[in-house]
């Protein structure tokens, strides 16, 4: 566990940059702060069951995606040693001086891969107290061999293969879907890995490490890399509940595109990360996406055209609308823009 063992010049200047938001708003909304929330145990899917009890395992996964929108997987095939090595590489890159992170090609990634805070934030509720590396799978390799970069690529590849397998199970698990069902084709050039660091946030009412949102993809796989620093919360039954950290599992959540494709059978659930007052937190997330031209339309064998909850749209159209909404309102509007009923 790393507790304040980092040089202050490595952290982004969150407080000084967003000081005006604190001046304008003396007090945060209570829903945002460090109020007590219940801790939940997400459904656990043992993927070894795909070999031993395939139908039961698939049914459990479909039920979890329908009722929770989140679940955990064990025996997922991604080596724990590789995930620990990724954590070490992640800590090292975030320990670099802030000015290097915003100006230099660390590990061969462009400076644009590094992001921090929320430039579009119009109030404290829209501010994410975090820094991250946003790494597309198709980022060109550096000319020199760097082990940390190789580890990131190995994890990205393993997560991509796992996410594809899980997404196919969920798509084929829809009512009326069969082996001939058309699947959403994913593309490496739109998928990406995000390395997250949430610095300590000592604001009196607490703060968002990541603001409430739903994911703009098909499926997300998250690894919480510490077993004592929680923070991930999801909206369940109208209440925020905290997800108990478990470094031996991977957390899977349904993205907005899969909710639309399933015609609301699967739920893309709003979630957030709360920053800790004294401890930093690290996590990794992989986002499974289709090509920008892929048509998302809930009119396959399980949905009649007149029963579709959404109009058809492409992933590119969805991403464009999200960016426009964030620029104009400071937040995602999401699937509501495309809903017909």
């Amino acid at each position: 566990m790393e507790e304040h063992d980092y040089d202050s010049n490595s952290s982004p200047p969150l407080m000084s940059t967003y000081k005006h938001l604190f001046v304008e708003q003396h007090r945060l909304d209570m829903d945002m702060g460090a109020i007590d929330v219940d801790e939940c145990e997400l459904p656990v899917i043992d993927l070894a069951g795909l070999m031993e009890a395939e139908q039961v395992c698939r049914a459990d996964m479909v039920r979890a995606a329908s009722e929770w929108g989140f679940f955990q997987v064990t025996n997922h095939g991604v080596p724990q040693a590789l995930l620990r090595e990724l954590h070490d590489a992640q800590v090292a890159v975030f320990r670099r001086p802030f000015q290097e992170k915003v100006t230099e090609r660390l590990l061969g990634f462009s400076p644009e891969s590094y992001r921090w805070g929320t430039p579009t934030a119009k109030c404290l509720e829209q501010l994410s107290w975090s820094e991250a590396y946003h790494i597309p799978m198709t980022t060109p390799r550096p000319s020199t061999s760097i082990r940390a970069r190789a580890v990131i690529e190995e994890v990205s590849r393993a997560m991509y293969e796992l996410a594809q397998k899980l997404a196919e199970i969920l798509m084929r698990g829809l009512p009326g879907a069969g082996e001939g069902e058309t699947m959403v084709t994913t593309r490496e050039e739109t998928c990406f890995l995000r390395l997250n660091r949430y610095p300590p946030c000592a604001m009196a009412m607490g703060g968002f490490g990541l603001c409430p949102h739903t994911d703009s993809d098909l499926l997300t796989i998250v690894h919480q890399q510490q077993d004592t620093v929680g923070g991930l919360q999801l909206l369940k039954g109208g209440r925020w509940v905290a997800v108990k950290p478990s470094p031996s599992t991977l957390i899977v959540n349904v993205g907005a595109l899969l909710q639309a494709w399933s015609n609301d059978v699967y739920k893309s659930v709003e979630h957030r990360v709360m920053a800790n007052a004294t401890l930093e937190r690290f996590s990794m997330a992989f986002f499974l996406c289709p090509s920008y031209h892929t048509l998302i339309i809930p009119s396959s064998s399980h949905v009649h055209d007149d029963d579709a909850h959404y109009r058809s749209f492409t992933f590119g159209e969805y991403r464009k609308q999200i960016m426009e909404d964030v620029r104009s309102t400071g937040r995602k509007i999401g699937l509501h823009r495309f809903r017909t009923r």
Side-chain angles (χ1 to χ4, degrees):
M1 172 63 59
E2 298 83 4
E3 180 175 0
H4 294 306
D5 60 348
Y6 47 89
D7 191 325
S8 60
N9 74 355
S10 68
S11 288
L14 291 162
M15 185 62 77
S16 59
T17 301
Y18 296 102
K19 184 178 180 180
H20 64 286
L21 297 181
F22 293 85
V23 173
E24 294 167 2
Q25 182 174 336
H26 300 293
R27 172 182 173 85
L28 303 185
D29 188 320
M30 281 298 295
D31 179 56
M32 169 180 181
I35 59 176
D36 292 334
V37 296
D38 294 330
E39 192 172 63
C40 71
E41 293 278 358
L42 293 178
V44 179
I45 310 297
D46 184 351
L47 295 185
L50 291 175
M51 299 295 294
E52 301 165 3
E54 181 178 358
Q55 294 305 315
V56 173
C57 182
R58 289 172 179 262
D60 288 345
M61 196 181 304
V62 167
R63 186 179 307 109
S66 303
E67 296 178 0
W68 283 80
F70 272 76
F71 54 90
Q72 301 177 89
V73 292
T74 59
N75 290 311
H76 43 70
V78 183
Q80 289 296 319
L82 181 62
L83 292 173
R84 287 193 294 270
E85 195 172 0
L86 174 69
H87 174 70
D88 292 342
Q90 183 172 345
V91 171
V93 74
F94 280 120
R95 289 286 182 271
R96 299 292 291 272
F98 172 70
Q99 288 303 320
E100 289 186 12
K101 289 185 285 191
V102 296
T103 60
E104 297 184 8
R105 298 179 62 87
L106 299 183
L107 301 184
F109 301 125
S110 70
E112 289 74 24
S113 296
Y114 177 70
R115 303 170 185 188
W116 61 280
T118 310
T120 58
K122 302 177 185 298
C123 59
L124 285 178
E125 288 88 344
Q126 296 173 355
L127 172 61
S128 289
W129 196 269
S130 60
E131 58 179 331
Y133 274 92
H134 182 285
I135 305 169
M137 284 194 70
T138 52
T139 301
R141 287 174 173 265
S143 57
T144 57
S145 176
I146 304 173
R147 177 54 189 166
R149 173 62 184 270
V151 168
I152 291 171
E153 292 179 352
E154 287 179 39
V155 171
S156 293
R157 172 56 56 185
M159 292 293 175
Y160 180 65
E161 294 175 358
L162 175 60
Q164 282 186 306
K165 178 167 66 176
L166 298 179
E168 182 174 346
I169 290 172
L170 291 174
M171 290 177 192
R172 294 198 187 282
L174 291 170
E179 289 302 316
E181 179 79 1
T182 301
M183 300 291 105
V184 178
T185 302
T186 60
R187 299 296 293 270
E188 289 186 16
E189 57 263 33
T190 55
C191 298
F192 62 96
L193 189 78
R194 190 172 69 202
L195 305 178
N196 302 305
R197 174 180 175 261
Y198 303 98
C201 178
M203 293 188 295
M205 294 296 295
F208 291 138
L210 198 60
C211 296
H213 67 287
T214 56
D215 291 347
S216 306
D217 62 350
L218 290 166
L219 209 65
T220 306
I221 301 179
V222 176
H223 183 236
Q224 300 190 91
Q225 298 182 345
Q226 293 148 296
D227 58 4
T228 58
V229 183
L232 177 62
Q233 300 179 355
L234 59 89
L235 201 58
K236 176 69 171 173
R239 292 176 55 86
W240 288 105
V241 294
V243 176
K244 185 177 180 180
S246 176
S248 63
T249 67
L250 296 174
I251 295 175
V252 182
N253 67 276
V254 172
L257 301 185
L258 186 54
Q259 175 172 325
W261 181 267
S262 73
N263 206 45
D264 292 334
V265 172
Y266 301 136
K267 305 299 187 293
S268 182
V269 174
E270 192 171 16
H271 54 285
R272 66 187 186 184
V273 175
M274 298 305 298
N276 190 284
T278 59
L279 300 173
E280 64 182 342
R281 177 180 182 269
F282 294 92
S283 71
M284 175 277 298
F286 180 83
F287 300 86
L288 183 71
C289 303
S291 72
Y292 291 120
H293 300 294
T294 297
L295 193 64
I296 306 298
I297 179 169
S299 60
S300 51
S301 60
H302 63 285
V303 181
H304 297 294
D305 288 340
D306 56 353
D307 291 329
H309 295 178
Y310 303 92
R311 69 171 178 84
S312 61
F313 58 90
T314 66
F315 178 41
E317 183 182 0
Y318 187 77
R319 285 288 301 273
K320 181 180 178 181
Q321 184 64 62
I322 289 290
M323 289 186 288
E324 290 176 356
D325 288 338
V326 169
R327 279 194 296 266
S328 61
T329 70
R331 65 185 182 87
K332 291 182 180 181
I333 304 299
L335 283 179
H336 293 293
R337 293 289 197 192
F338 302 89
R339 186 175 283 277
T340 60
R341 54 183 300 179

